[in-house]
Amino acid sequence: MTTSTEPLLTPQATAALRDVLLQYGYTRDGIVTRIGIEAAHALNRYDPEPALQLLGENDPLGMLIRLFMCGRSVPIVQVDEAVVPLLEPAGEGLVRAAVYLHPYEKWWAVSDFPLFLRPEARDRRADRVLPIGPTATLLRRATLGHRVGAALDLGTGCGVQALHLSDQADSVVATDLSARAARFAATTAALNELDWEVLEGDMAQPVAGRRFDLVVSNPPYAVGPGTVHCVYRDSGRPGDAMCAELIAAAPDLLTEGGHLQFRANWAHVAGEDWRERVAHWLPADSGLDAWIVQRGVTDALAYVDHWLEQSGGEEHLGQRESWLRWFEDRKITGVGTGTVVLRRTDRHDPVVRIEELSPEAAELTGGQVAEWFTRQDWLRDHDPLTAHFRPGPGVRLWQEAGLRSDSASGPGGWHLNQQLLKIPSDGLNWNERTTPLGVALIGGSGRPDETLGDQLTRLAEAEGTDRSRLVLAALPEVARLVERGALIPG
C-alpha cells in the first residue's frame, strides 16, 4: 500500500511558521500593502530590486520578503525562531532561505528558488522543484471549474494545481515521480491546512486501480531523446511518448463523465501531419471525447535553446548538440505546444477534434472548454432540424473577391474567392472558411417562429432546390457552426 508523503516540517513547526507568516502579513495582499503593486509585480517576475529599495533593516515583514522572495541573506539575530527550519547558513552570522516560499493568491507555495534569483551551480540540481510558472498558470486557466468528488494532480511539483483543485474537489490526490517534489507539495498542503494525499511514483502508477472525476497534469513533456537531466522537464520517454502514455491511461483513470486535462508537446515531423500523429495516441474504442488544441509551434533549434535556458544552460555538457542531432535523425522540424482535454464517455460515437488556434486567439479557458463539451452534447442529443437557432454574438463575415478577366469580352465582373467567418467565441477568435450555404444559414437564423427545418424548406423553395439534398448538405455545416459558436441553439 502506498503511503502519503511526509512534509518537510513537523506539524508543530508548520503551525508555528504559519502563525508567524500571518502575524507579519506575509501574504499576497500584505506584501502589496507593504511595498506597492509595482514592486510586488516585479517580485513575481523574479526582479527583487524595486522591493529591496523599499524594505527597512528592522522590519519583520521585510525580513521575510528578503529571505523567501528576494533570496537574500539576513543576520540570524533578526530571524524569528519559527522560520529557522526553512533556513541554511550563508556566512558568519548570516542565514538564507533554503526554499522559495511564495505567497500565491490566498495560499503559500513551497518550491526551489528560480534560477534568476539563485544562479549558483548548486541550485542546478536534477530534482529541482520549479516555482509557479507560466505553463502552470495556463493549465489552471484552462481547467474546468465545476464541483467534483475526487481530483488528481498528476506530476504535482510544488502543488499549484492541487491548491486550486482544493477549492472544487471533495478530495485531492497529488503525485510526483520525484520524492523531493512530493515532500515540497506535502509541505505546501500542510502550510495551507489542506488535507491532500501526496504520493510518490511514476505517472499513474501510485493511483493504479483508482478513478477520479477530474485529473490535471503539467507533466515533464519535453520532446527529446529520453535521457533525464531535469526531472521536471524530462520524462525518461523518447520523443512525445509521455503524452501518448498519459492519454492511453485516461480510460482507467477517469470516472464516467470525468475529465483529464494536461499541457503537452508533440513532434512535428517532416512529411507527416501533426494531427494524424496525435490522433494515433487515442486508443481504439477508448470511449474518450477529445479536444486537443495546438497553441503554437517552435522550431527545433529554438525549442532546445529554450529548455536549456530554463534549466540554467547546459551547452557545456554537450546536451544541445546531441539533442539537436536526435531531432535531425528523426526529421523533427519543430514542436507543437497545446492543451489536451479528454472526457470519458459511454457513448458509442466519441467526438475527437484536433486543431490549432489562430494567432489572434486568447489562451484557452475552463469556461470555453465547458462550453465546447456542452455544444457537443447538444449536437448528439438533439435533432437540429427541429431546433431554433440564432447567430452567435459578434460573428462577422469577410468576403474576398477578384475581378474576372476575359480576353474575348473584357472584364467579367467580380468573382468570389472565399468567404471567411470571424467567430469571437469569447476570445478564441476562430477564422473559418465557409460556404454560401453557411452564410445563408447564419444570416437567416434568429426568427423565433422558424426552425432549421423550416428555414431549409424556405431556402429550397427560393432556389428551386431539392430539399432533401439541401438537408444533407446543411447538417454537417450546422454542426460545425454550432461547435464554433457561430450558431446558438434556442
PDB file of all heavy atoms in Angstrom, residues 58 61 67 69 118 141 148 152 246 258 292 301 340 359 364 393 405 418 430 481:
ATOM      1  N   ASN A  58      15.050  46.673  10.066  1.00  0.00           N
ATOM      2  CA  ASN A  58      14.459  46.006  11.231  1.00  0.00           C
ATOM      3  C   ASN A  58      12.958  45.848  11.055  1.00  0.00           C
ATOM      4  O   ASN A  58      12.168  46.217  11.920  1.00  0.00           O
ATOM      5  CB  ASN A  58      14.777  46.810  12.498  1.00  0.00           C
ATOM      6  CG  ASN A  58      16.262  46.898  12.758  1.00  0.00           C
ATOM      7  OD1 ASN A  58      16.931  45.874  12.784  1.00  0.00           O
ATOM      8  ND2 ASN A  58      16.766  48.110  12.941  1.00  0.00           N
ATOM      9  N   LEU A  61       8.276  41.936   8.380  1.00  0.00           N
ATOM     10  CA  LEU A  61       7.760  41.537   7.072  1.00  0.00           C
ATOM     11  C   LEU A  61       8.840  41.695   6.010  1.00  0.00           C
ATOM     12  O   LEU A  61       9.012  40.838   5.133  1.00  0.00           O
ATOM     13  CB  LEU A  61       6.529  42.355   6.705  1.00  0.00           C
ATOM     14  CG  LEU A  61       5.943  42.105   5.308  1.00  0.00           C
ATOM     15  CD1 LEU A  61       5.608  40.626   5.108  1.00  0.00           C
ATOM     16  CD2 LEU A  61       4.710  42.973   5.081  1.00  0.00           C
ATOM     17  N   LEU A  67      14.208  37.213   2.660  1.00  0.00           N
ATOM     18  CA  LEU A  67      14.599  35.807   2.712  1.00  0.00           C
ATOM     19  C   LEU A  67      13.943  34.986   1.614  1.00  0.00           C
ATOM     20  O   LEU A  67      14.616  34.324   0.810  1.00  0.00           O
ATOM     21  CB  LEU A  67      14.218  35.225   4.077  1.00  0.00           C
ATOM     22  CG  LEU A  67      15.138  35.484   5.253  1.00  0.00           C
ATOM     23  CD1 LEU A  67      14.473  35.035   6.540  1.00  0.00           C
ATOM     24  CD2 LEU A  67      16.475  34.773   5.061  1.00  0.00           C
ATOM     25  N   MET A  69      11.518  35.701  -0.863  1.00  0.00           N
ATOM     26  CA  MET A  69      11.158  36.115  -2.222  1.00  0.00           C
ATOM     27  C   MET A  69      12.325  36.750  -2.964  1.00  0.00           C
ATOM     28  O   MET A  69      12.386  36.684  -4.195  1.00  0.00           O
ATOM     29  CB  MET A  69       9.961  37.066  -2.195  1.00  0.00           C
ATOM     30  CG  MET A  69       8.678  36.382  -1.764  1.00  0.00           C
ATOM     31  SD  MET A  69       7.192  37.166  -2.429  1.00  0.00           S
ATOM     32  CE  MET A  69       7.246  36.631  -4.142  1.00  0.00           C
ATOM     33  N   ARG A 118      18.740  32.524  -7.863  1.00  0.00           N
ATOM     34  CA  ARG A 118      19.799  31.677  -7.304  1.00  0.00           C
ATOM     35  C   ARG A 118      20.570  31.020  -8.446  1.00  0.00           C
ATOM     36  O   ARG A 118      20.353  29.845  -8.778  1.00  0.00           O
ATOM     37  CB  ARG A 118      19.192  30.594  -6.408  1.00  0.00           C
ATOM     38  CG  ARG A 118      18.646  31.111  -5.071  1.00  0.00           C
ATOM     39  CD  ARG A 118      19.784  31.287  -4.053  1.00  0.00           C
ATOM     40  NE  ARG A 118      19.284  31.850  -2.819  1.00  0.00           N
ATOM     41  CZ  ARG A 118      18.797  31.139  -1.804  1.00  0.00           C
ATOM     42  NH1 ARG A 118      18.718  29.833  -1.906  1.00  0.00           N
ATOM     43  NH2 ARG A 118      18.387  31.741  -0.713  1.00  0.00           N
ATOM     44  N   ARG A 141      -5.768  28.103 -16.040  1.00  0.00           N
ATOM     45  CA  ARG A 141      -6.735  28.909 -16.782  1.00  0.00           C
ATOM     46  C   ARG A 141      -7.672  28.027 -17.597  1.00  0.00           C
ATOM     47  O   ARG A 141      -8.857  28.320 -17.733  1.00  0.00           O
ATOM     48  CB  ARG A 141      -5.985  29.880 -17.695  1.00  0.00           C
ATOM     49  CG  ARG A 141      -6.851  30.734 -18.619  1.00  0.00           C
ATOM     50  CD  ARG A 141      -5.968  31.577 -19.517  1.00  0.00           C
ATOM     51  NE  ARG A 141      -6.722  32.216 -20.572  1.00  0.00           N
ATOM     52  CZ  ARG A 141      -7.260  33.430 -20.498  1.00  0.00           C
ATOM     53  NH1 ARG A 141      -7.133  34.120 -19.383  1.00  0.00           N
ATOM     54  NH2 ARG A 141      -7.928  33.932 -21.525  1.00  0.00           N
ATOM     55  N   VAL A 148     -16.418  18.732  -8.146  1.00  0.00           N
ATOM     56  CA  VAL A 148     -16.164  17.309  -8.392  1.00  0.00           C
ATOM     57  C   VAL A 148     -15.956  16.603  -7.057  1.00  0.00           C
ATOM     58  O   VAL A 148     -15.710  17.232  -6.023  1.00  0.00           O
ATOM     59  CB  VAL A 148     -14.933  17.093  -9.298  1.00  0.00           C
ATOM     60  CG1 VAL A 148     -15.164  17.704 -10.670  1.00  0.00           C
ATOM     61  CG2 VAL A 148     -13.664  17.666  -8.659  1.00  0.00           C
ATOM     62  N   LEU A 152      -7.294  14.597  -9.065  1.00  0.00           N
ATOM     63  CA  LEU A 152      -5.902  14.159  -9.060  1.00  0.00           C
ATOM     64  C   LEU A 152      -5.045  15.189  -9.766  1.00  0.00           C
ATOM     65  O   LEU A 152      -5.360  15.611 -10.881  1.00  0.00           O
ATOM     66  CB  LEU A 152      -5.779  12.804  -9.775  1.00  0.00           C
ATOM     67  CG  LEU A 152      -4.361  12.313 -10.110  1.00  0.00           C
ATOM     68  CD1 LEU A 152      -3.565  12.035  -8.837  1.00  0.00           C
ATOM     69  CD2 LEU A 152      -4.419  11.058 -10.992  1.00  0.00           C
ATOM     70  N   LEU A 246       0.051   9.166 -21.353  1.00  0.00           N
ATOM     71  CA  LEU A 246      -0.936   9.767 -20.456  1.00  0.00           C
ATOM     72  C   LEU A 246      -2.339   9.661 -21.045  1.00  0.00           C
ATOM     73  O   LEU A 246      -3.306   9.373 -20.332  1.00  0.00           O
ATOM     74  CB  LEU A 246      -0.570  11.229 -20.192  1.00  0.00           C
ATOM     75  CG  LEU A 246      -1.364  11.976 -19.128  1.00  0.00           C
ATOM     76  CD1 LEU A 246      -1.463  11.178 -17.841  1.00  0.00           C
ATOM     77  CD2 LEU A 246      -0.745  13.338 -18.872  1.00  0.00           C
ATOM     78  N   GLY A 258     -15.825  11.809 -16.329  1.00  0.00           N
ATOM     79  CA  GLY A 258     -14.665  12.502 -15.775  1.00  0.00           C
ATOM     80  C   GLY A 258     -13.763  13.064 -16.862  1.00  0.00           C
ATOM     81  O   GLY A 258     -13.762  12.598 -18.011  1.00  0.00           O
ATOM     82  N   ILE A 292      -8.193  18.553 -28.554  1.00  0.00           N
ATOM     83  CA  ILE A 292      -6.756  18.768 -28.474  1.00  0.00           C
ATOM     84  C   ILE A 292      -6.439  20.010 -29.295  1.00  0.00           C
ATOM     85  O   ILE A 292      -6.674  20.044 -30.502  1.00  0.00           O
ATOM     86  CB  ILE A 292      -5.982  17.540 -28.980  1.00  0.00           C
ATOM     87  CG1 ILE A 292      -6.372  16.306 -28.143  1.00  0.00           C
ATOM     88  CG2 ILE A 292      -4.486  17.784 -28.916  1.00  0.00           C
ATOM     89  CD1 ILE A 292      -5.777  15.005 -28.636  1.00  0.00           C
ATOM     90  N   LEU A 301      15.559  24.253 -33.199  1.00  0.00           N
ATOM     91  CA  LEU A 301      16.678  24.949 -32.569  1.00  0.00           C
ATOM     92  C   LEU A 301      16.204  25.827 -31.413  1.00  0.00           C
ATOM     93  O   LEU A 301      16.764  25.785 -30.306  1.00  0.00           O
ATOM     94  CB  LEU A 301      17.420  25.798 -33.604  1.00  0.00           C
ATOM     95  CG  LEU A 301      18.602  26.618 -33.091  1.00  0.00           C
ATOM     96  CD1 LEU A 301      19.660  25.712 -32.476  1.00  0.00           C
ATOM     97  CD2 LEU A 301      19.203  27.454 -34.216  1.00  0.00           C
ATOM     98  N   VAL A 340      -4.475  19.314 -23.971  1.00  0.00           N
ATOM     99  CA  VAL A 340      -5.270  18.120 -24.248  1.00  0.00           C
ATOM    100  C   VAL A 340      -6.391  18.049 -23.210  1.00  0.00           C
ATOM    101  O   VAL A 340      -6.137  18.144 -22.014  1.00  0.00           O
ATOM    102  CB  VAL A 340      -4.410  16.844 -24.181  1.00  0.00           C
ATOM    103  CG1 VAL A 340      -5.270  15.595 -24.355  1.00  0.00           C
ATOM    104  CG2 VAL A 340      -3.297  16.891 -25.229  1.00  0.00           C
ATOM    105  N   PRO A 359      -3.427  32.802 -34.417  1.00  0.00           N
ATOM    106  CA  PRO A 359      -2.506  33.650 -33.642  1.00  0.00           C
ATOM    107  C   PRO A 359      -3.220  34.727 -32.832  1.00  0.00           C
ATOM    108  O   PRO A 359      -2.697  35.201 -31.829  1.00  0.00           O
ATOM    109  CB  PRO A 359      -1.619  34.272 -34.729  1.00  0.00           C
ATOM    110  CG  PRO A 359      -1.692  33.319 -35.886  1.00  0.00           C
ATOM    111  CD  PRO A 359      -3.078  32.765 -35.848  1.00  0.00           C
ATOM    112  N   LEU A 364      -6.751  29.358 -23.867  1.00  0.00           N
ATOM    113  CA  LEU A 364      -7.946  28.585 -23.560  1.00  0.00           C
ATOM    114  C   LEU A 364      -8.356  28.775 -22.099  1.00  0.00           C
ATOM    115  O   LEU A 364      -7.511  28.842 -21.207  1.00  0.00           O
ATOM    116  CB  LEU A 364      -7.655  27.117 -23.830  1.00  0.00           C
ATOM    117  CG  LEU A 364      -8.827  26.161 -24.047  1.00  0.00           C
ATOM    118  CD1 LEU A 364      -9.618  26.561 -25.275  1.00  0.00           C
ATOM    119  CD2 LEU A 364      -8.291  24.734 -24.201  1.00  0.00           C
ATOM    120  N   PRO A 393     -22.890  35.664 -30.806  1.00  0.00           N
ATOM    121  CA  PRO A 393     -22.541  37.067 -30.587  1.00  0.00           C
ATOM    122  C   PRO A 393     -21.232  37.446 -31.268  1.00  0.00           C
ATOM    123  O   PRO A 393     -20.233  36.724 -31.172  1.00  0.00           O
ATOM    124  CB  PRO A 393     -22.425  37.166 -29.062  1.00  0.00           C
ATOM    125  CG  PRO A 393     -22.170  35.776 -28.592  1.00  0.00           C
ATOM    126  CD  PRO A 393     -22.892  34.884 -29.552  1.00  0.00           C
ATOM    127  N   SER A 405     -11.104  38.260 -65.624  1.00  0.00           N
ATOM    128  CA  SER A 405     -10.535  38.819 -66.851  1.00  0.00           C
ATOM    129  C   SER A 405     -10.855  37.879 -68.000  1.00  0.00           C
ATOM    130  O   SER A 405     -10.482  36.717 -67.991  1.00  0.00           O
ATOM    131  CB  SER A 405      -9.011  38.961 -66.698  1.00  0.00           C
ATOM    132  OG  SER A 405      -8.449  39.463 -67.882  1.00  0.00           O
ATOM    133  N   GLN A 418     -13.343  33.656 -51.616  1.00  0.00           N
ATOM    134  CA  GLN A 418     -13.604  32.934 -50.374  1.00  0.00           C
ATOM    135  C   GLN A 418     -14.471  33.768 -49.447  1.00  0.00           C
ATOM    136  O   GLN A 418     -14.516  34.997 -49.553  1.00  0.00           O
ATOM    137  CB  GLN A 418     -12.305  32.570 -49.663  1.00  0.00           C
ATOM    138  CG  GLN A 418     -11.517  33.737 -49.115  1.00  0.00           C
ATOM    139  CD  GLN A 418     -10.332  33.290 -48.251  1.00  0.00           C
ATOM    140  OE1 GLN A 418     -10.247  32.141 -47.832  1.00  0.00           O
ATOM    141  NE2 GLN A 418      -9.427  34.206 -47.968  1.00  0.00           N
ATOM    142  N   TRP A 430     -11.999  32.258 -33.754  1.00  0.00           N
ATOM    143  CA  TRP A 430     -11.882  31.336 -34.872  1.00  0.00           C
ATOM    144  C   TRP A 430     -12.033  32.091 -36.191  1.00  0.00           C
ATOM    145  O   TRP A 430     -12.888  32.963 -36.330  1.00  0.00           O
ATOM    146  CB  TRP A 430     -12.953  30.255 -34.794  1.00  0.00           C
ATOM    147  CG  TRP A 430     -12.861  29.365 -33.594  1.00  0.00           C
ATOM    148  CD1 TRP A 430     -13.695  29.338 -32.521  1.00  0.00           C
ATOM    149  CD2 TRP A 430     -11.874  28.355 -33.356  1.00  0.00           C
ATOM    150  NE1 TRP A 430     -13.294  28.387 -31.625  1.00  0.00           N
ATOM    151  CE2 TRP A 430     -12.180  27.766 -32.101  1.00  0.00           C
ATOM    152  CE3 TRP A 430     -10.769  27.893 -34.068  1.00  0.00           C
ATOM    153  CZ2 TRP A 430     -11.418  26.740 -31.563  1.00  0.00           C
ATOM    154  CZ3 TRP A 430     -10.004  26.872 -33.513  1.00  0.00           C
ATOM    155  CH2 TRP A 430     -10.332  26.301 -32.282  1.00  0.00           C
ATOM    156  N   LEU A 481     -20.911  24.952 -37.334  1.00  0.00           N
ATOM    157  CA  LEU A 481     -21.234  26.298 -36.866  1.00  0.00           C
ATOM    158  C   LEU A 481     -21.646  26.300 -35.400  1.00  0.00           C
ATOM    159  O   LEU A 481     -21.314  27.220 -34.652  1.00  0.00           O
ATOM    160  CB  LEU A 481     -22.340  26.899 -37.743  1.00  0.00           C
ATOM    161  CG  LEU A 481     -21.961  27.153 -39.209  1.00  0.00           C
ATOM    162  CD1 LEU A 481     -23.192  27.565 -40.007  1.00  0.00           C
ATOM    163  CD2 LEU A 481     -20.871  28.217 -39.310  1.00  0.00           C
TER     164      LEU A 481
END
